[in-house]
Amino acid sequence: MEPSRNQQGLNRMMTRVSHDSLEQHQVWIYLAGLLLGAGVGMAWPGGSQQLDALVWPALALLLYATFTQMNLADVPRSLRDTRFLLAALVGNFLIIPAAVFGIVSLIPSQDALTLGLLLVLLVPCTDWFITFSALGRGDAVRASGLTPVALFLQLGLLPLYLLLMTDFDLGGVFDIRAVWPALMVLALPLAAAILTEAGASRRRFLAQVRERAGWFPVPLLAVVILFVSASHIGPLQEHLGLLPWVGLAGGLFLIAALLISKVIASALRLPAQQGRTLAFSLGTRNSFIVLPFALSLPEGWEIVPMVIVIQSLVELLGMIFYVWFVPRVWFPDRTIRAPQG
């Protein structure tokens, strides 16, 4: 039996309330997942292989739920706004990589730490960037339109960045026989999300799937963090001295992103709302996009996924500050006072 319009409206409202509540508390949800996973991993050290296997299906579901929230129909409109697009692309793909190289050069030279930081800091975010842009009084429409462009560019440019910024044998690290599952866990959810969006206008079921999928990225990412921390806490315990460096790199990156956003927005004379969107685009990173590649690394690189997860938590804590600071201090609304007399 078809639900009434009132019931449909109530369902949408309840879904929105649940979604907003999850987003407001996501930092603590992820932290709980990290701590619970660490506890499980220490209590069951022999289960790391089984727990590691569970990451892949959880990650595929997370990617599908996230990709369904991207509106490919917004891409043409975002491409027409050449000034904002230029600001976002130059900032994310030219200036930020240079800043990341400088930050990583300040960190102790440890291959796994370096690779983990490069993987996570070089790729702009395509999911919670939109959420934080909206919370920080940015332009969510431009944020939505930018994300597909940023996603495809980062997948093409990341290998080039790594080639230029590392001096170890990437061919030996990213063995194609080990990396292809990571490529599939990225490509298949993306293809499924594109098909879902294409069919949503004709199939009510697909439209409902797309609408309800927006509820799942937060809990699914918490599950992924739980499984990653549970399966990698053992190697991390041997490298606890690296954690402060991850925090330092993440903190320096957040500061650099703010400064870069201000310089670019001033140079291109972006309105305050677009400046805020730019700040959130530069400050947020695409941790779960690179996580499959980190999980496919050979023996000896086990701490890379944990570096990515911990940096993401640092970033989320930074976003709490961004949401307050960016619209009030960094890119405030300009009010024009009427002349006296």
Side-chain angles (χ1 to χ4, degrees):
M1 186 173 72
E2 291 287 329
S4 66
R5 288 187 177 180
N6 288 340
Q7 184 62 46
Q8 290 175 359
L10 179 61
N11 289 341
R12 283 195 296 270
M13 182 181 71
M14 293 177 66
T15 299
R16 184 69 248 174
V17 169
S18 299
H19 186 205
D20 289 347
S21 179
L22 281 172
E23 288 181 344
Q24 290 170 7
H25 299 94
Q26 59 184 312
V27 174
W28 313 115
I29 294 172
Y30 301 147
L31 184 59
L34 179 71
L35 295 176
L36 179 59
V40 170
M42 287 186 287
W44 186 28
S48 61
Q49 191 169 4
Q50 295 92 318
L51 292 166
D52 198 35
L54 293 174
V55 175
W56 295 96
L59 190 55
L61 290 173
L62 168 63
L63 290 169
Y64 173 73
T66 302
F67 289 150
T68 56
Q69 305 310 296
M70 290 195 315
N71 293 313
L72 296 178
D74 288 334
V75 174
R77 178 166 44 179
S78 71
L79 294 176
R80 287 196 295 269
D81 187 352
T82 54
R83 199 161 48 142
F84 174 75
L85 185 65
L86 176 66
L89 296 185
V90 168
N92 274 304
F93 296 106
L94 288 178
I95 303 178
I96 282 290
V100 168
F101 182 73
I103 290 169
V104 170
S105 68
L106 300 175
I107 304 302
S109 181
Q110 206 270 12
D111 286 350
L113 175 62
T114 298
L115 182 58
L117 289 173
L118 289 176
L119 281 174
V120 72
L121 294 179
L122 286 170
V123 289
C125 185
T126 57
D127 59 323
W128 60 47
F129 151 57
I130 301 171
T131 299
F132 286 119
S133 293
L135 291 173
R137 290 163 42 200
D139 190 330
V141 173
R142 279 183 173 81
S144 299
L146 175 64
T147 52
V149 179
L151 174 65
F152 291 113
L153 275 176
Q154 67 189 247
L155 292 176
L157 289 174
L158 181 59
L160 176 62
Y161 292 145
L162 294 178
L163 188 64
L164 293 173
M165 297 184 189
T166 58
D167 56 5
F168 41 81
D169 180 16
L170 289 176
V173 176
F174 293 99
D175 185 346
I176 189 62
R177 292 168 296 181
V179 168
W180 77 263
L183 294 173
M184 290 298 100
V185 87
L186 181 62
L188 293 179
L190 178 59
I194 291 171
L195 293 175
T196 301
E197 179 180 351
S201 59
R202 299 186 300 273
R203 302 282 184 180
R204 184 181 174 190
F205 169 73
L206 292 177
Q208 290 176 334
V209 167
R210 193 159 180 253
E211 178 183 346
R212 293 173 182 173
W215 188 88
F216 288 98
V218 172
L220 283 172
L221 183 52
V223 170
V224 169
I225 289 173
L226 188 154
F227 288 150
V228 170
S229 61
S231 57
H232 291 80
I233 190 64
L236 183 65
Q237 290 180 83
E238 302 172 8
H239 300 86
L240 289 178
L242 298 180
L243 294 184
W245 294 108
V246 177
L248 175 62
L252 290 174
F253 177 84
L254 290 168
I255 295 170
L258 281 176
L259 296 173
I260 293 167
S261 70
K262 191 70 167 181
V263 170
I264 295 176
S266 298
L268 295 179
R269 299 183 179 180
L270 296 181
Q273 190 181 37
Q274 292 184 25
R276 296 171 199 146
T277 310
L278 179 64
F280 285 104
S281 174
L282 300 183
T284 53
R285 302 287 91 187
N286 223 352
S287 54
F288 67 89
I289 287 291
V290 295
L291 192 55
F293 300 102
L295 292 168
S296 68
L297 294 174
E299 185 177 352
W301 299 84
E302 292 87 354
I303 69 165
V304 174
M306 286 300 292
V307 169
I308 292 171
V309 167
I310 292 165
Q311 190 282 330
S312 300
L313 292 175
V314 173
E315 177 184 306
L316 281 166
L317 291 171
M319 286 303 110
I320 295 175
F321 172 73
Y322 264 48
V323 165
W324 173 85
F325 180 79
V326 168
R328 290 172 178 80
V329 178
W330 210 235
F331 292 104
D333 290 319
R334 293 180 176 83
T335 56
I336 302 175
R337 296 183 179 180
Q340 300 294 321

